[in-house]
Amino acid sequence: MKRGGKSKKEWRKEKGSTSTSKEPAALMSTEDASSSLSRKRNLEELLQCTRIDNGSDGSPSLNAISRIRLEAIFHPKFENEAVKDSQIRRDMKERVANGEGFLEVSLKHSGSLMLWSGGQRYYSKNSTDNVFTHTGEILLRQHFVRAFWMEQETGGEETTQSTTFEEEVYYRECSHYVEENRLTLAFEVVTVVLGDHGDRPKRDFLILTAVAGRNRETFYSTQQVVEMAQRFRLPHNDFWVFSSQTSTDALFEFYDNCRETSLAPFVVDTLSESAEIVVPSLYPHVDFQGDILEGIVIRFVSNSAAKVGGGNPASSMEQLSQVAKGLCTKIPPTLPDCCELVERHSKTKGNHPTWLSTNVRRVFYSCRQDSQGNNDDTTRLFAEHVANVLSKQKKRRTAARLSKDEASKVSVLLESLVNSTSDEETKRIARVVQKLRNLNIRVDYSVVKEEISGLGFSRWLCIVHIILDQSHQKYRRNMNPGDMALFRGFALELSTETSFSINARPASASPGLTQDSELVDQNPADMLMLKMKFLPYMIRTFCCRNGLRNLKQSGIGGFVKYSSNLMRRWKISAAAKKKQEPFLRAWAEYAEPRLQDRLPQDGDDMLRLTSNCYLEHLERFIPLFESGEIDLKDASSFRGFVIVVSPIEESANKAADYIANKLSCPKRFLGAHTVPRGISEGVVCSVSADEKSGRFRHMLTDRGDPTFLICFGCSDEDFENQIGDEHIAKALRGKLNAWKKLRVTRSFDLPLCALSGEATMLEVENDPSKHHGTVSDEMRHCIAQLMAAGSIDDSGVGLGLLVFFPQIPGSGKSSLLNESVEQELRSFLSKQKQPRTLQVRVGDKTTGKFWPLVKKERAKDPTGVYVADKNLPAKTWDLIANVCAESSAIGVPVIPKGAMKTTAVEGIRFPDGYVTMKRSQTFPFSLQYLAVCLLRVLSRDSGSHPGKLDMSQNRACMIVIMFFCLYERVAADEFIANLSLKFDGNSAFLAREPIEVPFFRAEEPPELPGALRDTLVEAIQAQGGFNIRRKDVGRIKDDYLDDLESRVRKSLEENRAFLSSLTVDVNESRKSFLEQMKLVIEHADADEAASSSVVDFNDSHKGEEIRYVSVEVPPADVHKVLLEHVSDPNLESLWQSLIGTTSPIVGDWYKDSRFSQSPHVTLAHSRDGTTQEEMKDTFGSVAGQDICLKSTAIVWDENTAALEVSLPIHTNEGRPFPPSTNQFTHITLWVQKGTKAFRSNKLPDLVKEGKANRCVFPTAVLPGKVLFKQ
């Protein structure tokens, strides 16, 4: 394509003529947006390069766009999605108890999102006119026929019935209403043809989940959604209303007790029994989707938000419930699907539109048969078929997409409309685009030209796709009052002031339904929501499906660890984990050879196993597992890699079979070429001497576990017995020497007689009568050595820590752990409840591959603290996450505090001199940080750095800038979120918080001098071009780079004093690093102890509920404190008020029943909304532990008295002690008859009001034990 009348080559030449000038480069950051001149230049380039002339249909060119309209929208991310579930629970229960609102519960269906704005305007989350929208459209149009089928069959003339079918009267009526009122309806499309989720649905269907009014950018309440659904007989979700404290408590108690086992029938029945109101769906989950339920969605609805148009919300929902039950009677689940009804009707009463009789499931299986089970071909054929079905309409919509490069430029055009139009909706949308750019949020803009055949009508559409979910939170944090929300489904119509727009605002609204203009916005603070999943779905989706990638890369052992880590993160009970582990291991045994293509195809009736179509295999696997047909070997503790080499293949196989059997080794391979890379479990491989050993060199180097070489029958005598030809024997001896040079943990030489008469596994399978021969002591000794050196018992082993540095050279990471810091850290580790070792590995001092060595060393000490002193750019985060997952480590990132500030640089210079300002690069570090790191590298003496990155390196500055640019496309405020995504994808653990080491003196360091800043920006622009062309700036010969390196060095030297003054002293950084490391270790120990405690609790108290967690204090010790102060005149009013003139003291004991006979400190109580899971999670690590309390005061009034106490930081054994959930930490001493003990919680407030007394006395120490109370 030509740019503004010039060819690509001509454009490059023209731009290249001025590209080497040394004018200041353009710089943009989140805090300092680019100048209007820069934006104008970008807009001019856009209009020159992407001009699309008016078509013959009269559609406007893109550069003429002056009006934007919302075409389709879906809910923004909820405000509370980053808040802990426990806190949301407490807020929900408290608000319901206070009568502020009620809870709505709905089922979470597993499907694909589809948006409908009326007519043929269907959109998926990030696109349009695709297989998702086509399938959804067919199912929706079929639904209307099925929903009104009974009325059409029982009334009216035959001609009228046929006309109703052919013209789709009910569908068009609903479509007209949607378009007239500018609504967008959101559906969950649930089918077997659009990819696998938790289960294959019994029937293909869709569920209405939301209705958006685009005039006011507002979403219907549940009541309004149901009201509209019932008017047009749309299939809404099941809804349950919980409006009392009793039912709300029962709801959460049910989930906590049943989340590990519940299926849809039990969940639906239980919710229906405990809810005050039930609004049933036309498509019951059990009948349409099946038994596997993804989860439930719980929303708090305030009374103000529920009272739309006045009236009682509960009464309105009850009325809707009655209507819903009536519709379920009229349209029972037993009514066949539309395609079946229409086919039956067509045989006697004429033809109907093809899409009404299309069975998408049948079409899909037909396409699969035609493609002979090829997944990609099946998907392509199916997409073509459903598109062809819909294309038979007389006036059909088609969509042509702009290239991705051209579409990305449209954002500049949209943003330019902020100040150039008076249209309010256009301005609001343009401001969203502008804010997305200013916040450096990653967005994909997809631009589509839509045409309606037969009408001569076309228009432009733009679909906005937010790449990262966390960007929604970032956008919301920076919203101003009145700003448009950032929708998840976000399609725009682009037009001119004079061109026709489908999205014209309606002149009037249709009567009979609460309209968009009457919508009541709910306060964001009231929008509490919980998405709560069930374990059966999670096991299938996140383990069986998502774990296939890990299974293929890391083998069965890696998959088992991946699944175990997931269940650990989900805080699954020991009983549930014990039940799931054999199932998951068996699934791995079934799936692994199919993923590795080591088994023949399962037949034309089965698709190849992938994450998109795993359910068919899972359904086949489950009966095999339950019947015991899958040979599930006992999990072997052997993790070594054994190579058995012999002059001939038969001898190697015989020895390898015997060894694998004795070791219970899960993996046995024949030949070097059959061993997959990355396999992490125990391996025994047999090879003949004439095979090449080169493939194993890299494999053994990357291997973290012990490696062994067994030369079987390789002595001169055995060679003669096996190889008759002397020349062949001589050649094999030479090749055998290559095998002996492999670097292994240990090697063995065994004679043939070590297995005299031993049969191979294949021989035994073919002839069971064959039995094993004699085995020598040498072989037994070898097996014992292999087992001792290669076995790892990781059951019950805790997690270690892997400290890593996502920084750049010159950041000072190596200086943090000097000798004194290292010694203090080792001393601290040795004194912990779980002692750990410390190992530091410096990347620049390591020969060979760094991360395979880390994995190997971590495997030897899985619970230790490992510091990987090596820069880890963003492009390698997946690697560190994988290392942490496979070596059972918690990843601990160390980042420079004060340096995390998003920098965006506009423009890229390519190696050939061509400069374009239409591209920008985003980085998470500030330019000040880059400048300081550069100066530090140049301050290193020649030859002083082990990695040779010092002042003597010709391109030292450009190499550091290269590292800086490896973080491209990562913003500062998304840094940890992006890192978390990588760890989540590998089922790895990341520390609660990163270690932030002070770097700058000031929180906001001063800006760089202009000349230095411009030089750095130019260097970044140049590096960006070299990255695109994949050229190494450290090696390539380039005069421009030499000049640029020289100018960067000169500018840094000129500003040396300024840059040196910016940073903190290294001792301050070391001190902070050490303190934070200790805190991270304590958190890891507490989490580990909590995990162990939860397991113990579930095993020993199965089925019992915790009422509260407390610190039990011996009564005698409490009474002793009172006796010590019985004569204190300040407490005279206390004794008078509590016991009158008669002393209740008998010896050292208070006999009055009003004194507490079981004194304790309540740490958490279920009546306050603390869940079972929260109590176990928070206090499980200290359950049964002894602690020392400190008491310093007594507080009392005429009804209650309490001893004010403080909790320790650690238990007596050194475990970190969590804080109490109660604001007033105390021991209740005495309560008046008729008074509840929990009234003592109000004493501090009564003291402030002058209604209670407080007396301070010398600190008294009390012993206590932490217990769960049933």
Side-chain angles (χ1 to χ4, degrees):
M1 178 179 177
K2 289 192 174 185
R3 307 180 179 185
K6 302 180 182 68
S7 68
K8 185 174 181 180
K9 185 174 182 181
E10 292 170 334
W11 185 263
R12 281 181 175 274
K13 185 175 180 180
E14 180 177 317
K15 293 295 292 182
S17 62
T18 59
S19 63
T20 57
S21 64
K22 299 178 182 179
E23 298 176 359
L27 171 68
M28 174 181 67
S29 68
T30 50
E31 293 76 17
D32 181 20
S34 62
S35 65
S36 59
L37 181 62
S38 173
R39 301 302 300 163
K40 181 178 179 182
R41 180 168 65 250
N42 282 347
L43 181 57
E44 289 171 349
E45 288 188 1
L46 167 74
L47 299 183
Q48 289 176 351
C49 300
T50 65
R51 182 183 300 276
I52 299 178
D53 297 330
N54 291 351
S56 58
D57 55 11
S59 60
S61 59
L62 273 180
N63 58 310
I65 296 301
S66 58
R67 183 172 62 189
I68 320 173
R69 288 287 181 265
L70 293 174
E71 169 71 10
I73 57 176
F74 185 60
H75 280 294
K77 284 282 186 181
F78 272 80
E79 181 69 35
N80 62 274
E81 289 191 1
V83 182
K84 281 189 175 182
D85 286 358
S86 56
Q87 182 61 48
I88 299 171
R89 275 197 192 197
R90 283 195 288 269
D91 290 347
M92 283 181 169
K93 296 174 78 170
E94 182 180 341
R95 294 184 187 188
V96 171
N98 293 337
E100 299 175 26
F102 56 89
L103 300 185
E104 285 178 355
V105 179
S106 60
L107 301 182
K108 180 73 177 73
H109 289 268
S110 303
S112 306
L113 175 66
M114 182 189 74
L115 306 178
W116 182 48
S117 295
Q120 300 176 35
R121 299 153 67 192
Y122 290 89
Y123 300 88
S124 57
K125 187 176 180 181
N126 307 318
S127 187
T128 186
D129 193 40
N130 56 28
V131 66
F132 294 94
T133 60
H134 293 159
T135 303
E137 180 178 353
I138 290 173
L139 292 176
L140 180 60
R141 298 174 86 148
Q142 290 181 352
H143 163 79
F144 279 99
V145 174
R146 180 180 181 274
F148 290 93
W149 183 265
M150 301 302 291
E151 283 82 347
Q152 297 173 80
E153 282 287 281
T154 57
E157 297 293 332
E158 185 175 302
T159 305
T160 304
Q161 295 173 37
S162 297
T163 302
T164 301
F165 287 146
E166 292 170 9
E167 296 184 359
E168 300 179 87
V169 172
Y170 301 108
Y171 169 75
R172 296 184 187 282
E173 179 184 341
C174 181
S175 174
H176 176 74
Y177 181 86
V178 170
E179 289 192 310
E180 280 290 303
N181 290 278
R182 283 196 77 202
L183 302 178
T184 295
L185 276 57
F187 295 90
E188 195 79 9
V189 182
V190 185
T191 77
V192 299
V193 302
L194 299 177
D196 287 348
H197 297 275
D199 195 10
R200 289 200 297 178
K202 295 179 178 179
R203 298 164 72 172
D204 301 308
F205 66 104
L206 37 68
I207 287 286
L208 178 67
T209 57
V211 178
R214 302 196 305 280
N215 283 337
R216 293 184 56 221
E217 307 152 25
T218 317
F219 290 84
Y220 278 21
S221 67
T222 300
Q223 178 181 330
Q224 292 172 307
V225 170
V226 174
E227 186 182 351
M228 179 178 177
Q230 292 179 350
R231 170 174 177 169
F232 295 104
R233 296 194 179 180
L234 289 164
H236 62 73
N237 209 334
D238 291 280
F239 290 101
W240 293 267
V241 174
F242 294 79
S243 55
S244 69
Q245 183 176 355
T246 301
S247 64
T248 300
D249 290 342
L251 168 65
F252 288 113
E253 181 180 352
F254 153 71
Y255 176 78
D256 290 338
N257 292 336
C258 303
R259 75 180 184 113
E260 295 178 344
T261 57
S262 287
L263 300 176
F266 179 70
V267 173
V268 171
D269 290 345
T270 305
L271 292 176
S272 299
E273 290 173 4
S274 54
E276 281 81 12
I277 300 173
V278 182
V279 184
S281 171
L282 288 176
Y283 291 158
H285 194 289
V286 176
D287 297 304
F288 281 78
Q289 178 127 30
D291 290 346
I292 300 298
L293 175 61
E294 179 175 345
I296 56 177
V297 179
I298 305 176
R299 296 180 64 232
F300 171 77
V301 182
S302 65
N303 292 329
S304 59
K307 293 178 180 178
V308 180
N312 187 330
S315 176
S316 300
M317 290 298 288
E318 183 59 45
Q319 292 175 11
L320 294 174
S321 172
Q322 297 304 317
V323 175
K325 292 173 182 177
L327 285 174
C328 289
T329 303
K330 290 182 179 180
I331 316 166
T334 54
L335 184 67
D337 292 334
C338 169
C339 52
E340 182 179 338
L341 294 170
V342 170
E343 282 182 355
R344 189 185 305 167
H345 185 273
S346 299
K347 293 178 181 178
T348 58
K349 300 181 181 179
N351 298 321
H352 302 286
T354 309
W355 48 88
L356 296 183
S357 59
T358 297
N359 186 321
V360 293
R361 188 176 298 217
R362 190 183 304 157
V363 169
F364 178 78
Y365 288 128
S366 175
C367 293
R368 191 171 77 176
Q369 189 173 8
D370 293 342
S371 66
Q372 298 181 343
N374 183 283
N375 297 3
D376 295 335
D377 288 345
T378 300
T379 302
R380 177 182 54 79
L381 289 174
F382 177 74
E384 292 174 355
H385 189 100
V386 292
N388 183 58
V389 166
L390 292 171
S391 68
K392 295 178 181 179
Q393 298 175 82
K394 294 179 181 178
K395 301 173 182 178
R396 182 61 195 171
R397 171 200 198 214
T398 59
R401 290 169 175 78
L402 288 186
S403 69
K404 190 172 182 179
D405 187 50
E406 291 175 331
S408 65
K409 304 164 189 171
V410 171
S411 63
V412 183
L413 174 62
L414 301 183
E415 190 180 336
S416 70
L417 299 178
V418 170
N419 299 315
S420 62
T421 180
S422 59
D423 182 77
E424 186 59 28
E425 186 169 345
T426 300
K427 278 186 175 182
R428 289 173 58 74
I429 297 171
R431 289 193 193 105
V432 171
V433 177
Q434 184 182 60
K435 188 179 289 290
L436 291 173
R437 176 186 63 81
N438 289 340
L439 295 175
N440 292 293
I441 290 177
R442 293 175 57 189
V443 184
D444 270 350
Y445 294 93
S446 176
V447 179
V448 175
K449 188 176 184 181
E450 177 196 81
E451 297 186 13
I452 306 294
S453 59
L455 288 182
F457 165 76
S458 68
R459 60 179 181 148
W460 290 103
L461 299 171
C462 178
I463 300 170
V464 182
H465 175 209
I466 308 301
I467 305 296
L468 301 174
D469 280 349
Q470 58 265 31
S471 297
H472 290 270
Q473 298 175 14
K474 179 179 180 179
Y475 180 92
R476 189 181 297 109
R477 288 195 301 268
N478 290 275
M479 283 181 66
N480 298 317
D483 280 355
M484 179 181 285
L486 183 60
F487 304 106
R488 277 183 280 182
F490 205 171
L492 308 173
E493 178 194 68
L494 314 179
S495 63
T496 65
E497 297 292 341
T498 57
S499 62
F500 172 74
S501 170
I502 297 179
N503 286 290
R505 293 178 180 272
S508 61
S510 301
L513 182 71
T514 304
Q515 300 301 325
D516 183 30
S517 60
E518 299 174 19
L519 288 173
V520 177
D521 290 318
Q522 185 168 359
N523 189 323
D526 295 334
M527 295 177 69
L528 300 175
M529 183 180 74
L530 286 172
K531 297 178 182 178
M532 309 173 78
K533 288 183 167 58
F534 292 102
L535 184 61
Y537 169 86
M538 297 162 74
I539 289 292
R540 285 167 164 247
T541 305
F542 301 114
C543 294
C544 295
R545 184 189 71 180
N546 296 358
L548 290 177
R549 170 177 171 265
N550 186 280
L551 177 60
K552 187 171 183 178
Q553 291 179 348
S554 303
I556 294 175
F559 174 83
V560 170
K561 187 177 288 289
Y562 168 88
S563 302
S564 178
N565 285 346
L566 277 181
M567 290 189 283
R568 185 171 187 157
R569 294 174 65 178
W570 296 336
K571 298 174 183 175
I572 299 304
S573 68
K577 188 175 181 182
K578 185 177 181 180
K579 178 182 177 181
Q580 295 295 342
E581 283 174 343
F583 174 84
L584 291 169
R585 185 170 185 85
W587 167 248
E589 295 279 2
Y590 170 91
E592 194 267 344
R594 288 168 172 81
L595 292 174
Q596 302 291 356
D597 294 328
R598 293 205 310 275
L599 286 180
Q601 289 296 320
D602 293 296
D604 293 340
D605 61 326
M606 292 283 287
L607 287 173
R608 182 178 177 183
L609 177 59
T610 67
S611 59
N612 286 330
C613 53
Y614 81 102
L615 282 173
E616 193 166 355
H617 283 272
L618 187 65
E619 289 173 357
R620 178 186 179 185
F621 157 77
I622 290 175
L624 297 176
F625 171 73
E626 292 176 345
S627 65
E629 292 184 45
I630 293 183
D631 183 18
L632 182 59
K633 300 175 182 177
D634 293 335
S636 173
S637 61
F638 183 74
R639 297 291 188 271
F641 193 112
V642 180
I643 304 169
V644 180
V645 61
S646 190
I648 61 174
E649 185 178 339
E650 290 79 7
S651 298
N653 290 344
K654 180 182 294 187
D657 287 345
Y658 178 82
I659 292 169
N661 181 57
K662 289 298 181 181
L663 296 175
S664 298
C665 188
K667 289 302 172 186
R668 168 74 176 90
F669 295 99
L670 302 173
H673 63 284
T674 62
V675 184
R677 290 187 179 275
I679 189 167
S680 60
E681 55 211 311
V683 169
V684 175
C685 178
S686 58
V687 297
S688 61
D690 64 343
E691 292 188 57
K692 293 182 178 180
S693 61
R695 187 169 186 271
F696 279 111
R697 288 197 189 96
H698 301 294
M699 197 175 295
L700 296 179
T701 301
D702 295 347
R703 185 83 181 185
D705 302 308
T707 54
F708 308 94
L709 176 68
I710 298 177
C711 296
F712 182 69
C714 296
S715 66
D716 291 343
E717 182 180 350
D718 287 338
F719 251 98
E720 291 178 4
N721 292 333
Q722 298 174 85
I723 309 297
D725 191 310
E726 181 61 31
H727 295 289
I728 297 177
K730 184 176 181 180
L732 286 177
R733 286 191 183 94
K735 293 181 178 179
L736 181 63
N737 289 331
W739 285 101
K740 291 183 176 181
K741 291 179 180 179
L742 290 176
R743 292 185 178 181
V744 293
T745 307
R746 185 167 180 181
S747 59
F748 300 87
D749 283 300
L750 296 176
L752 280 176
C753 60
L755 279 177
S756 176
E758 185 73 18
T760 66
M761 290 181 182
L762 181 60
E763 291 170 342
V764 173
E765 287 177 6
N766 294 334
D767 185 0
S769 64
K770 291 190 175 183
H771 57 83
H772 297 302
T774 59
V775 179
S776 71
D777 290 339
E778 290 176 289
M779 176 60 80
R780 294 190 183 94
H781 177 72
C782 175
I783 296 294
Q785 293 296 311
L786 292 175
M787 186 63 75
S791 295
I792 300 174
D793 183 10
D794 53 10
S795 59
V797 176
L799 298 173
L801 294 131
L802 178 51
V803 182
F804 61 97
F805 299 83
Q807 301 186 35
I808 66 174
S811 59
K813 63 183 182 305
S814 298
S815 63
L816 294 176
L817 249 129
N818 64 355
E819 187 175 346
S820 61
V821 172
E822 190 171 330
Q823 287 178 354
E824 185 171 349
L825 193 53
R826 290 185 191 279
S827 174
F828 175 80
L829 289 169
S830 65
K831 296 176 183 177
Q832 297 305 295
K833 178 67 177 178
Q834 178 183 345
R836 302 176 187 266
T837 61
L838 174 67
Q839 183 170 357
V840 181
R841 170 65 62 183
V842 180
D844 291 322
K845 296 180 180 179
T846 302
T847 57
K849 293 184 178 180
F850 182 79
W851 292 110
L853 179 60
V854 171
K855 189 185 295 187
K856 183 181 293 187
E857 292 177 336
R858 281 276 313 127
K860 295 177 182 177
D861 185 18
T863 62
V865 176
Y866 195 103
V867 180
D869 184 356
K870 184 178 179 67
N871 294 304
L872 197 75
K875 298 182 186 296
T876 57
W877 286 351
D878 196 62
L879 172 64
I880 186 67
N882 179 262
V883 172
C884 287
E886 292 194 3
S887 64
S888 300
I890 300 171
V892 184
V894 181
I895 60 177
K897 186 177 181 180
M900 307 301 295
K901 178 181 177 182
T902 300
T903 297
V905 174
E906 288 189 345
I908 288 178
R909 181 195 184 278
F910 290 92
D912 61 0
Y914 168 63
V915 176
T916 176
M917 301 304 295
K918 291 176 292 186
R919 296 198 187 192
S920 64
Q921 303 174 79
T922 303
F923 308 99
F925 304 118
S926 66
L927 288 181
Q928 293 96 319
Y929 173 72
L930 172 61
V932 170
C933 290
L934 285 166
L935 185 63
R936 286 178 173 179
V937 168
L938 293 180
S939 299
R940 297 170 180 168
D941 294 335
S942 297
S944 63
H945 189 256
K948 300 180 181 179
L949 185 58
D950 50 42
M951 62 184 303
S952 62
Q953 166 60 247
N954 292 335
R955 297 270 176 80
C957 290
M958 292 309 301
I959 291 174
V960 175
I961 291 170
M962 177 188 69
F963 271 92
F964 182 86
C965 291
L966 290 176
Y967 293 88
E968 201 260 330
R969 300 195 76 182
V970 179
D973 51 2
E974 296 174 348
F975 191 89
I976 297 300
N978 279 296
L979 191 56
S980 297
L981 284 177
K982 296 297 184 183
F983 273 71
D984 290 344
N986 285 273
S987 185
F989 295 91
L990 193 64
R992 298 181 188 179
E993 299 289 340
I995 292 178
E996 294 186 273
V997 177
F999 191 85
F1000 290 114
R1001 293 179 185 273
E1003 187 174 340
E1004 288 287 337
E1007 293 294 329
L1008 295 178
L1012 175 58
R1013 184 200 64 179
D1014 292 343
T1015 304
L1016 292 180
V1017 169
E1018 184 183 347
I1020 293 171
Q1021 290 173 327
Q1023 181 61 53
F1026 277 93
N1027 285 346
I1028 293 173
R1029 296 291 183 261
R1030 299 189 177 185
K1031 295 186 177 181
D1032 188 347
V1033 295
R1035 299 180 180 180
I1036 189 173
K1037 293 183 179 181
D1038 188 287
D1039 293 339
Y1040 172 76
L1041 284 181
D1042 292 336
D1043 176 65
L1044 186 56
E1045 173 81 19
S1046 176
R1047 287 190 283 121
V1048 170
R1049 292 193 180 207
K1050 180 180 178 182
S1051 189
L1052 290 169
E1053 191 60 40
E1054 290 173 349
N1055 294 278
R1056 175 178 288 275
F1058 168 75
L1059 295 175
S1060 300
S1061 67
L1062 298 180
T1063 57
V1064 299
D1065 182 75
V1066 66
N1067 290 322
E1068 181 179 341
S1069 298
R1070 287 171 182 160
K1071 181 181 178 181
S1072 176
F1073 173 75
L1074 180 60
E1075 291 174 351
Q1076 291 181 73
M1077 273 295 299
K1078 291 180 179 178
L1079 190 61
V1080 167
I1081 293 165
E1082 288 179 346
H1083 285 166
D1085 289 345
D1087 291 343
E1088 188 65 35
S1091 176
S1092 301
S1093 176
V1094 168
V1095 172
D1096 293 338
F1097 181 86
N1098 287 334
D1099 286 343
S1100 58
H1101 301 271
K1102 187 176 181 180
E1104 299 181 14
E1105 180 181 352
I1106 309 171
R1107 286 196 301 120
Y1108 61 92
V1109 184
S1110 66
V1111 179
E1112 299 295 313
V1113 181
D1117 289 278
V1118 175
H1119 296 168
K1120 183 178 179 181
V1121 173
L1122 298 180
L1123 288 169
E1124 289 176 355
H1125 301 283
V1126 71
S1127 59
D1128 189 334
N1130 294 321
L1131 297 176
E1132 190 171 326
S1133 62
L1134 168 65
W1135 311 131
Q1136 183 67 30
S1137 176
L1138 267 57
I1139 60 178
T1141 57
T1142 303
S1143 173
I1145 304 175
V1146 178
D1148 60 353
W1149 195 264
Y1150 282 79
K1151 67 178 182 179
D1152 190 337
S1153 61
R1154 292 173 295 176
F1155 280 89
S1156 175
Q1157 304 303 306
S1158 58
H1160 61 271
V1161 179
T1162 301
L1163 301 175
H1165 205 295
S1166 59
R1167 67 161 178 256
D1168 298 326
T1170 308
T1171 67
Q1172 300 290 296
E1173 182 179 340
E1174 291 167 341
M1175 286 190 276
K1176 288 183 275 187
D1177 183 31
T1178 305
F1179 298 102
S1181 62
V1182 294
Q1185 293 280 298
D1186 293 320
I1187 66 171
C1188 291
L1189 303 167
K1190 291 182 179 180
S1191 176
T1192 56
I1194 296 179
V1195 190
W1196 75 94
D1197 68 357
E1198 67 276 9
N1199 292 309
T1200 54
L1203 202 60
E1204 189 176 303
V1205 299
S1206 61
L1207 298 172
I1209 300 176
H1210 296 88
T1211 66
N1212 293 354
E1213 294 185 5
R1215 292 188 182 182
F1217 194 83
S1220 170
T1221 60
N1222 287 347
Q1223 292 184 350
F1224 177 39
T1225 307
H1226 67 283
I1227 298 172
T1228 301
L1229 296 173
W1230 180 92
V1231 292
Q1232 187 61 270
K1233 289 182 178 180
T1235 302
K1236 299 292 184 181
F1238 65 79
R1239 186 184 178 278
S1240 57
N1241 287 292
K1242 299 180 180 180
L1243 285 173
D1245 292 333
L1246 294 175
V1247 170
K1248 293 178 182 178
E1249 297 170 7
K1251 299 178 181 179
N1253 304 292
R1254 181 173 183 267
C1255 178
V1256 179
F1257 52 75
T1259 299
V1261 178
L1262 295 169
K1265 181 182 287 291
V1266 182
L1267 296 175
F1268 288 116
K1269 305 294 287 187
Q1270 276 75 40

